[in-house]
Every structure is written in C-alpha cells, then in structure tokens.
C-alpha cells in the first residue's frame, strides 16, 4: 500500500473524498473504512456521511481533523448528516 501524506490529500481538487483516497494515509484498507462507517460510525476519527452505501468524506474537514483543528463545525468522529 502506497503512503499518502496529509499534504497530498489537502492538495486534491475534489471536495469529497472516497475511502480509497484516505486509506493509505490511515494505514488501513478502503474496505475497513466502509465497514467501520457502516457498523460503528462513532469510531470513525473524522467527519463523513453516507450516500446510499458509499462513504463520502469532506476533504477540508478530514484535513482539519488530522491537523487538530476541526474548525468547531463537527466534532471528530461525528458522521455528517447522520442522526444517532
């Protein structure tokens, strides 16, 4: 699995990322992110939302979560647009 840096993720043009975009940075497989988001969303350490069965990750919020600055918009680990 190739290594990806936070700076590389930040420089992507897409506003919404996919698990395969961030998995190398996290050191996990995209499948792991999908399963965790579906089965234990409270354990996902960054904001995301589900679109059908797909996990969508707001790029700016992902980067902010790992820079230690969530901007006060969403607590880290809270799925965006999902009620618990």
């Amino acid at each position: 699995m190739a290594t990806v840096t936070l700076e590389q993720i930040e420089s992507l043009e897409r506003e919404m990322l996919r698990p395969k975009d961030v998995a190398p940075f996290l050191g996990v497989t995209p499948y792991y992110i999908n399963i965790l988001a579906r089965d234990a969303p409270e354990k996902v350490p960054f904001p995301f939302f589900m679109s059908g069965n797909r996990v969508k990750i707001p790029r700016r919020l992902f980067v902010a979560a790992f820079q230690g600055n969530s901007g006060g918009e969403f607590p880290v680990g809270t799925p965006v647009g999902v009620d618990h």
Side-chain angles (χ1 to χ4, degrees):
M1 187 180 312
T3 303
V4 173
T5 66
L6 192 58
E7 291 77 22
Q8 289 171 315
I9 292 171
E10 188 173 20
S11 70
L12 293 173
E13 293 184 13
R14 290 186 310 281
E15 285 299 320
M16 290 296 155
L17 304 174
R18 300 162 294 187
K20 74 177 192 172
D21 297 322
V22 301
F25 172 77
L26 298 170
V28 298
T29 65
Y31 182 71
Y32 179 81
I33 295 171
N34 286 323
I35 296 302
L36 193 63
R38 184 191 72 199
D39 294 345
E42 70 281 357
K43 294 183 179 180
V44 178
F46 50 84
F48 71 96
F49 66 93
M50 301 294 293
S51 177
N53 64 349
R54 296 182 187 272
V55 176
K56 301 290 184 175
I57 305 158
R59 179 180 48 84
R60 293 177 190 182
L61 294 177
F62 179 86
V63 170
F66 287 95
Q67 287 177 335
N69 174 19
S70 64
E73 295 181 56
F74 301 101
V76 173
T78 301
V80 177
V82 177
D83 295 324
H84 289 288

